[in-house]
Amino acid sequence: MLKESMDVMGALKAVLFDVDGTLADTERDGHCVAFNLAFEEAGLDWRWSDVLYEKLLDVTGGKERMHYYLAEFNKQYPARDDINEFIAKLHRRKTQIYVSLLDEGRIPLRPGVKRLLEDARKQNVRLAIVTTTSVANVSALLKNTLGSESQDWFEFVAAGDVVAKKKPAPDIYQYALEKMNLTAQDCIAIEDSENGILSAAGAGIKSVITVNDYTRNHNFNGALIVLDHLGEPDMPFTVLKGELSRDANSGVNSHVNNAHYVDIAFLNALHQG
Ligand code: XBP
Ligand code: MG
């Protein structure tokens, strides 16, 4: 049974990490804060509360999100011919502010992220980033949480505007697969949102989900498993959705059944299962 499914599936070759909400709570503690500071500095009365930001997260990409805000939540803002440039300029400033928040060391990684990355490196499982945010933001997060060298841990960073359509479109995952010469079956994605799982699934990639306060109630149908976080040996995860005992007698799933934290053995078992 084990051998058969391994033959069909092949071993897990790569883990593809989303960034915002997955590696760290950057949406709540970074992006939303930076958007509001950029608005204030520009003399705008736009204020994004936590409740509004949750709705705005339906649209990925900071520039796209600002357009969505004007179209749906601030219709009284006067139309202007230079709206695209205006938003692009605001977004550049928002990125500078966001990076400075990270430089202050205010945003830690979520539980288990560092440990899982280190385990992947030990086990020669390839790592990549697949995100809708910019390379500048990814670099700042990695540098300030894991040190400057940690950027080399990732073979490839697929980010931001390199594709025309951001998540939930599959483009960014397809781009990463192509660049890394991998098939969807070689990989697992680690995601936190419905837009994220839709994007990965559109490219044929299965996801492990770690929810956060913004995404807890999203639809994660098709996820390999939905957890509150990746867990640590002294901080077990809670399974929110998924089957930990599909075949209690199978060697494949025994590791999954007994696991309290996500490591490469756990991901391999899910991948084979
Ligand atoms: C993240 C995003 C990003 C950030 C803001 O989605 O949607 O737009 O909110 O970053 P995911 P930018 O986690 O699915 O990649 O302002 O740099 O776009
Ligand atoms: Mg995310």
Side-chain angles (χ1 to χ4, degrees), residues 18-22 26-27 31-32 35 53 56-57 59-66 91 94-95 98 130-135 137 160-161 166-167 172 191-193 195-197 199:
D18 171 51
V19 175
D20 294 310
T22 298
T26 42
E27 294 293 10
H31 292 296
C32 187
F35 278 115
Y53 198 66
L56 293 171
L57 283 173
V59 171
T60 61
K63 295 185 286 292
E64 293 83 349
R65 189 167 300 142
M66 283 188 267
H91 190 251
K94 175 256 163 181
T95 298
Y98 175 80
V130 183
T131 179
T132 67
T133 199
S134 61
V135 174
N137 289 352
D161 295 324
K166 293 183 176 164
K167 299 176 188 177
I172 194 78
E191 276 284 357
D192 71 305
S193 69
N195 281 329
I197 191 176
S199 176

Side-chain angles (χ1 to χ4, degrees), residues 31-71:
H31 292 296
C32 187
V33 177
F35 278 115
N36 281 320
L37 287 171
F39 300 153
E40 201 178 324
E41 208 181 88
L44 295 164
D45 65 356
W46 306 358
R47 290 292 171 276
W48 289 2
S49 67
D50 214 36
V51 172
L52 174 59
Y53 198 66
E54 183 171 347
K55 297 189 182 122
L56 293 171
L57 283 173
D58 284 351
V59 171
T60 61
K63 295 185 286 292
E64 293 83 349
R65 189 167 300 142
M66 283 188 267
H67 282 288
Y68 177 56
Y69 166 68
L70 290 178

Side-chain angles (χ1 to χ4, degrees), residues 237-270:
F237 59 55
T238 299
V239 179
L240 304 177
K241 188 167 177 247
E243 303 161 58
L244 277 190
S245 52
R246 278 167 290 184
D247 179 357
N249 299 319
S250 143
V252 174
N253 281 320
S254 66
H255 186 86
V256 173
N257 290 330
N258 297 323
H260 303 294
Y261 57 89
V262 175
D263 58 7
I264 293 299
F266 179 89
L267 292 182
N268 249 318
L270 281 181

Side-chain angles (χ1 to χ4, degrees), residues 42-260:
L44 295 164
D45 65 356
W46 306 358
R47 290 292 171 276
W48 289 2
S49 67
D50 214 36
V51 172
L52 174 59
Y53 198 66
E54 183 171 347
K55 297 189 182 122
L56 293 171
L57 283 173
D58 284 351
V59 171
T60 61
K63 295 185 286 292
E64 293 83 349
R65 189 167 300 142
M66 283 188 267
H67 282 288
Y68 177 56
Y69 166 68
L70 290 178
E72 296 298 329
F73 300 95
N74 192 358
K75 292 184 183 161
Q76 60 277 24
Y77 186 73
R80 47 193 295 168
D81 292 340
D82 67 342
I83 191 66
N84 288 339
E85 297 79 46
F86 182 64
I87 282 187
K89 188 169 167 216
L90 267 176
H91 190 251
R92 280 195 294 278
R93 181 61 190 135
K94 175 256 163 181
T95 298
Q96 288 173 341
I97 297 171
Y98 175 80
V99 168
S100 63
L101 292 175
L102 287 170
D103 285 344
E104 287 169 24
R106 286 215 226 166
I107 309 180
L109 294 178
R110 296 189 63 193
V113 169
K114 181 169 188 241
R115 181 189 45 69
L116 178 58
L117 291 172
E118 286 171 344
D119 193 32
R121 279 162 54 73
K122 268 189 231 140
Q123 318 253 5
N124 293 318
V125 171
R126 297 162 69 187
L127 292 170
I129 295 280
V130 183
T131 179
T132 67
T133 199
S134 61
V135 174
N137 289 352
V138 176
S139 302
L141 179 68
L142 295 178
K143 184 183 85 183
N144 286 295
T145 53
L146 294 167
S148 309
E149 296 78 44
S150 62
Q151 299 190 47
D152 300 337
W153 299 5
F154 297 90
E155 182 180 326
F156 190 64
V157 176
D161 295 324
V162 292
V163 288
K165 285 198 238 135
K166 293 183 176 164
K167 299 176 188 177
D171 305 30
I172 194 78
Y173 275 100
Q174 286 165 343
Y175 177 73
L177 290 180
E178 197 182 303
K179 289 286 176 185
M180 295 174 77
N181 198 20
L182 287 164
T183 67
Q185 290 70 34
D186 294 331
C187 309
I188 283 181
I190 314 285
E191 276 284 357
D192 71 305
S193 69
E194 187 170 351
N195 281 329
I197 191 176
L198 284 173
S199 176
I205 302 167
K206 292 270 173 64
S207 293
V208 166
I209 303 292
T210 53
V211 301
N212 56 58
D213 289 343
Y214 288 129
T215 66
R216 202 167 298 278
N217 298 318
H218 284 193
N219 179 351
F220 292 120
N221 280 348
L224 285 168
I225 200 162
V226 182
L227 306 168
D228 54 350
H229 51 69
L230 292 173
E232 293 284 18
D234 59 352
M235 191 200 288
F237 59 55
T238 299
V239 179
L240 304 177
K241 188 167 177 247
E243 303 161 58
L244 277 190
S245 52
R246 278 167 290 184
D247 179 357
N249 299 319
S250 143
V252 174
N253 281 320
S254 66
H255 186 86
V256 173
N257 290 330
N258 297 323
H260 303 294

